[in-house]
Amino acid sequence: MSLSILAVDDSRTIRDMLKLALTQAGFEPQLAEDGVHGLEVLDGLQPDAIITDINMPRLDGFGFIEAVRGQDAHRATPILVLTTESAPELKARARAAGATGWIVKPFDPAKLVRALHMVAGPGATA
Amino acid sequence: MTSPDPMAEIRASFFIECDELLEALQDGLTQIDEGAADDETVNVCFRAVHSIKGGAGAFGLDDLVRFAHRYETVLDEVRGGRLALDHDAVLLFMRAADILFDIVRNCRDDVETDATAVEPTLRELESLTGGSEGEEEEEVADFQPMTLSLDLGLGAVDTGDTRYEIRFRPERELFASGNEPLFILRALGELGHTETECTLGAIPDLSKLEAEGALLSWKIILETNRARNEIEEVFEFVEGLCTLEIEELSGFSLPPLPDLPEISEVPGDSAESIESEDANSAPPISRLNLTLPGAQETQTPKTAPVSETPAPAHASAKSQTQRSSGSPSAPPATVRVDLERIERLVNLVGELVINQAMLSQSVAQAGIPANSPVAQDLEEFMQLTRDIQDSVMMIRAQPVKSLFQRMARIVRESSASLGKRVRLVTDGETTEVDKTVIERLADPLTHMIRNAVDHGLESAESRIEAGKSEEGCITLSAAHRSGRVVIEVSDDGGGIDREKVRAIAEEKGLVQAGQSLSESDTDALLFLPGFSTAKTVSNLSGRGVGMDVVRKSIQDLGGQVHITSTPGKGTSFSISLPLTLAVLDGMVVEAAGETLVVPLGSIVETLTARHENMRALGADSQVLQVRQSFVPLLDLGVELGFREPRSDYHGSVVLLITLEDGTRSALIVDRIHEQRQVVIKGLQESYGYVPGIAAATILGDGQVALILDPVDLLSSANGKTRYRSADLQIAG
């Protein structure tokens, strides 16, 4: 058994890359295109971790995290933020919004996987 | 990434996405310029550039990352309301968008971008915000691809194991952020041998236990050969959410411990210890776990919930796939398909159409009555086939929007270089045309737009003198009209100066002095090879490409171009094109026993040759008098080498063919069968170039017929009629 991950990003390229990296690591990715879509996909889903972009149409990453944290079922679901800036205030803002951690874009697949294990554990059989 | 293939695919898809994003950026900037923008418009522009930067970073496209980053920084100022845009600023942003487009193209084609060409625009852009260069560079340096970080870790020199003592005490905010000490400890365990001790001292009586408090702390002895910063990385996300001390211990080495399993048991151990210490209160704790699924904020170790979660998550993930596919607010679903597959489908449908025609013919030949079930079912089958054909053609259709946006850029660039102020108005951007047609229209359209800006529109002074606004206007429109698509390029300039056109044509020997020409005949002189009205060849339009080339490329697409002009009001070019290149309206004819197809677009009329209209010219040739002019007479059977010339052509069927330069030829055929749509089958791949032949098709009876290329046929006409039509017209 592997980790199931919900990845939300409005860029098709980044979604493709996330999907590839996650699949190659043996994870099960679910993808969404923006915050609103992310919440729809999340409905009824219990992912082991969520990865989200910040700059997105309709509902941005901060709004998405807030909405996810507002649901009892996802109060403690680990959420990693994808960001192109590694500035400390951005991290602080991500954390203030309820994010668990962050990944700097462009991400290194190995580091992404390590970060996911760090927040979501090794999966059931590991 | 182990396999190069998926990455190459994502890379290709990235450049397609870039095109879409650039289109969105262009749209947004246009809206801002027109004052039709809202806050979201700027956001869309920002996100477009931001996404390009994000993807570019992933592929190490440094040129693109650098430019996009600096562009984005200025856009962010606009987004934050700190920078207002006037018309000139928007134009600057558009110019920068054009450069971004070029850099994307360069990156796609692995061409290096000349930084010196890019820098001035960037600096101009940054001067809007007064941003200093040094600051920008610093930020760029901050944004670095992370691809090497793993190697750095692995490459750490093995200096033997070091022992660290780590004291880790989470605060309640750590749990609120979704972090989990268990996983952090486990990640730590992957760095080396660990010996973990949980401190339970802070746990009060159960009655006083706060469910979401943070009461546990750990002491870990880690023996590892990894660098200290890797240990710190494990705690990166919880920095500031816990008390953390990492201390390097000097001295001896521990005996190796079975690390991983033991680590995972650590919380479990503590759970047991809680239970053994407070045996009576154990049930409420486990109940607590059940009632608060997923809420690991209690100090209760959650080994069990962790192992439980993935199973239901997996199941619900499956069901979610179905649910999300039908999700109403998701954008319209699209599938990207290799063009080759569509070509194949188009070809197969073409075969189906042919096969169906053959079937109809057999049914008719078998003498089955029209009101029989077979004939009626066949009728329905024909209807379905036609519907399938239309639908398949639609797959290849694309809105002309991308083409129009490229033209917007041409207007911007050419007007800037000529110092004219020009506004481009577009209409019918959503009109769909075959993808290949769109691609092949780009060059002729570019040339027409350049011409309109350069020659069509007057100078600012003349415009003001004529009582017009200083800013010239070029209109580019597309529309579907009776099964064809019509694209129009019009300007509100001074119109064609017919006196001048006539003078130049006479000077170049294209028309005879004193020859009477209608207004439209005069305008059509612009399409003659070698014609150019520009007195001084500007570096813009004088590129050796005349309107004759434009006309040729449009005719190659099965289209026609017409020109209309009103003095003082402007000039309009109208291009009419077939919707697809896969089928052709043709006339099926017979010559020397062979069935051939002549493109309908090139046939002006059909007539019958009569003795009184034919005149001998030279030893081998004849001309045919058509109303007031003589037209060279060609025998299709002779031209294609099927037979020798006949002695008498009286009563023969003649097709009057128009060439792109406006001259005509009379083509003798033996019989006209019918006028119909034929499916074009290329010959180039299998046979290479065949003189006078454009392609082939398969007719309803299964017979292969060649499709003529009239231009090529007449230009390579054989000895019997070697007179070029242009020479003849002057002679006539």
Side-chain angles (χ1 to χ4, degrees), chain B residues 436-448 451 484 487 527 544-561 574-578 581 659-661 709 711:
Chain B
T436 318
V437 175
I438 287 183
E439 281 163 5
R440 287 168 58 183
L441 256 183
D443 281 348
L445 213 50
T446 300
H447 193 75
M448 291 167 80
N451 262 329
R484 290 174 80 85
I487 294 176
F527 291 116
V545 185
M547 287 303 286
D548 58 319
V549 177
V550 168
R551 185 176 185 151
K552 172 87 172 75
S553 8
I554 286 162
Q555 282 183 336
D556 285 350
L557 290 169
Q560 290 145 12
V561 55
S574 160
I575 304 169
S576 146
L577 292 160
L581 298 179
L659 290 191
E660 87 273 18
D661 57 5
D709 179 347
V711 178

Side-chain angles (χ1 to χ4, degrees), chain A residues 1-4 9-22 24 28 30-31 33-34 36-48 53-58 60 69 72-80 82-88 91 95 98-111 114-126, chain B residues 1-3 6-7 9-11 13-17 20-21 40 46-47 50-51 53-55 57-59 69 72 79 139 142-150 175-180 183-184 186-187 190 212 230 233-241 292-297 306-307 309-314 316-321 323-324 327-331 334 336:
Chain A
M1 282 289 283
S2 64
L3 294 175
S4 84
D9 197 305
D10 62 328
S11 158
R12 194 165 66 220
T13 306
I14 300 295
R15 280 202 305 277
D16 286 350
M17 297 195 66
L18 283 169
K19 186 177 177 189
L20 182 66
L22 294 173
Q24 282 184 345
E28 288 174 25
Q30 291 281 328
L31 301 170
E33 295 175 8
D34 57 40
V36 174
H37 190 209
L39 290 174
E40 285 167 8
V41 174
L42 185 65
D43 182 32
L45 200 67
Q46 202 43 269
D48 296 310
D53 187 24
I54 291 297
N55 278 300
M56 294 186 292
R58 301 207 288 172
D60 71 6
R69 285 280 180 256
D72 270 353
H74 304 295
R75 283 178 64 202
T77 303
I79 303 177
L80 292 183
L82 274 171
T83 163
T84 43
E85 273 83 5
S86 54
K91 291 180 181 176
R95 184 180 274 166
T100 310
W102 45 86
I103 298 286
V104 178
K105 270 198 285 194
F107 61 86
D108 168 38
K111 192 169 174 174
R114 274 210 306 275
L116 282 169
H117 280 311
M118 223 140 74
V119 297
T125 56
Chain B
M1 300 288 159
T2 47
S3 159
M7 278 310 277
E9 220 169 88
I10 294 176
R11 191 185 142 103
S13 136
F14 165 65
F15 286 114
I16 296 172
E17 190 185 11
E20 290 164 14
L21 293 168
E40 183 56 17
F46 176 84
R47 276 199 304 269
H50 188 76
S51 289
K53 182 178 94 170
F59 296 105
H69 178 78
E72 173 198 272
R79 188 168 72 142
E139 276 189 44
D142 195 30
F143 179 71
Q144 285 298 325
M146 301 294 292
T147 36
L148 285 177
S149 61
L150 181 65
F175 299 103
S177 75
N179 276 290
E180 167 55 52
F183 301 142
I184 293 171
R186 223 185 280 230
E190 299 204 345
E212 301 200 348
E230 279 189 70
E233 194 190 76
V234 170
F235 293 97
E236 187 189 354
F237 297 155
V238 295
E239 194 191 325
L241 303 177
L292 282 175
Q296 63 266 55
E297 285 85 345
V306 167
S307 58
T309 29
H314 175 62
S316 58
K318 288 253 165 69
S319 63
Q320 186 58 37
T321 317
R323 200 174 305 136
S324 66
S327 161
S329 65
T334 52
R336 269 169 292 136

Side-chain angles (χ1 to χ4, degrees), chain B residues 124-172:
Chain B
E124 215 180 314
L125 206 57
E126 281 161 357
S127 70
L128 290 176
T129 61
S132 83
E133 181 57 23
E135 213 175 271
E136 299 297 338
E137 285 300 336
E138 205 176 332
E139 276 189 44
V140 170
D142 195 30
F143 179 71
Q144 285 298 325
M146 301 294 292
T147 36
L148 285 177
S149 61
L150 181 65
D151 295 342
L152 286 175
L154 291 175
V157 187
D158 186 359
T159 51
D161 291 356
T162 311
R163 263 161 53 92
Y164 295 93
E165 184 181 303
I166 301 161
R167 290 176 180 278
F168 172 43
R169 185 187 158 79
E171 285 162 20
R172 57 182 300 160

Side-chain angles (χ1 to χ4, degrees), chain B residues 264-559:
Chain B
S264 63
E265 281 160 18
V266 169
D269 286 346
S270 54
E272 278 161 27
S273 60
I274 291 169
E275 282 172 26
S276 55
E277 277 169 28
D278 300 289
N280 297 336
S281 20
I285 290 178
S286 56
R287 210 173 296 143
L288 197 67
N289 255 336
L290 290 170
T291 49
L292 282 175
Q296 63 266 55
E297 285 85 345
T298 67
Q299 93 284 21
T300 315
K302 58 180 295 278
T303 316
V306 167
S307 58
E308 273 164 19
T309 29
H314 175 62
S316 58
K318 288 253 165 69
S319 63
Q320 186 58 37
T321 317
Q322 292 157 353
R323 200 174 305 136
S324 66
S325 63
S327 161
S329 65
T334 52
V335 177
R336 269 169 292 136
V337 183
D338 200 333
L339 200 56
E340 264 176 40
R341 294 191 189 181
I342 295 177
E343 300 285 359
R344 187 171 151 69
L345 187 60
V346 169
N347 275 331
L348 282 173
V349 171
E351 303 281 353
L352 181 67
V353 171
I354 292 161
N355 194 273
Q356 182 255 342
M358 287 162 71
L359 187 58
S360 305
Q361 209 152 2
S362 324
V363 167
Q365 275 165 7
I368 295 169
N371 60 355
S372 68
V374 171
Q376 279 166 10
D377 289 350
L378 192 64
E379 188 69 29
E380 264 175 55
F381 176 48
M382 280 163 73
Q383 186 57 46
L384 283 172
T385 313
R386 272 194 291 272
D387 288 352
I388 291 173
Q389 194 177 13
D390 289 348
S391 311
V392 168
M393 294 306 173
M394 255 155 61
I395 300 178
R396 290 184 48 95
Q398 270 188 343
V400 293
K401 187 174 179 183
S402 61
L403 181 67
F404 279 17
Q405 284 198 337
R406 282 173 72 178
M407 294 309 127
R409 175 178 184 176
I410 303 294
V411 170
R412 278 200 298 280
E413 287 179 349
S414 50
S415 59
S417 83
L418 289 164
K420 287 183 179 174
R421 284 188 51 185
V422 182
R423 187 162 48 98
L424 177 76
V425 177
T426 56
D427 187 32
E429 284 187 329
T430 52
T431 309
E432 295 199 333
V433 189
D434 188 281
K435 183 179 160 63
T436 318
V437 175
I438 287 183
E439 281 163 5
R440 287 168 58 183
L441 256 183
D443 281 348
L445 213 50
T446 300
H447 193 75
M448 291 167 80
I449 293 277
R450 281 205 182 113
N451 262 329
V453 175
D454 196 357
H455 307 312
L457 296 173
E458 321 91 317
S459 65
E461 301 85 61
S462 325
R463 286 186 69 88
I464 292 167
E465 224 169 89
K468 295 181 186 176
S469 117
E470 185 192 334
E471 189 180 58
C473 179
I474 292 179
T475 310
L476 186 57
S477 70
H480 283 280
R481 247 175 254 163
S482 56
R484 290 174 80 85
V485 64
V486 177
I487 294 176
E488 277 186 359
V489 182
S490 3
D491 62 61
D492 67 347
I496 292 173
D497 184 347
R498 300 204 169 97
E499 297 281 306
K500 199 169 91 185
V501 167
R502 169 114 206 184
I504 291 169
E506 282 179 14
E507 184 192 315
K508 301 206 169 174
L510 297 169
V511 288
Q512 280 184 313
Q515 188 179 339
S516 82
L517 285 175
S518 68
E519 284 186 351
S520 61
D521 283 347
T522 313
D523 294 346
L525 290 173
L526 291 176
F527 291 116
L528 289 185
F531 188 94
S532 169
T533 54
K535 281 184 193 140
T536 51
V537 174
S538 64
N539 63 1
L540 206 60
S541 357
R543 291 184 182 185
V545 185
M547 287 303 286
D548 58 319
V549 177
V550 168
R551 185 176 185 151
K552 172 87 172 75
S553 8
I554 286 162
Q555 282 183 336
D556 285 350
L557 290 169

Side-chain angles (χ1 to χ4, degrees), chain B residues 589-596 637 642-643 670 673 703:
Chain B
V589 299
E590 199 181 302
E594 298 288 334
T595 307
L596 297 149
F642 293 152
R643 66 169 174 223
D670 297 350
H673 283 296
Q703 198 189 337

Side-chain angles (χ1 to χ4, degrees), chain B residues 49 52-53 56-57 60-73 100 103 112-113 115 118-119 122 126 133 136-137 139-141 143-145:
Chain B
V49 179
I52 291 176
K53 182 178 94 170
L61 307 170
D62 294 342
D63 286 346
L64 191 50
V65 170
R66 253 189 300 273
F67 187 90
H69 178 78
R70 288 169 65 182
Y71 193 176
E72 173 198 272
T73 308
L100 187 61
I103 301 177
E112 206 163 306
T113 303
V118 166
E119 196 57 35
L122 270 180
E126 281 161 357
E133 181 57 23
E136 299 297 338
E137 285 300 336
E139 276 189 44
V140 170
F143 179 71
Q144 285 298 325

Side-chain angles (χ1 to χ4, degrees), chain B residues 190-211:
Chain B
E190 299 204 345
L191 297 179
H193 302 298
T194 52
E195 191 184 315
T196 309
E197 198 180 292
C198 182
T199 313
L200 305 171
I203 297 179
D205 282 351
L206 190 65
S207 56
K208 292 176 192 156
L209 188 67
E210 190 193 353

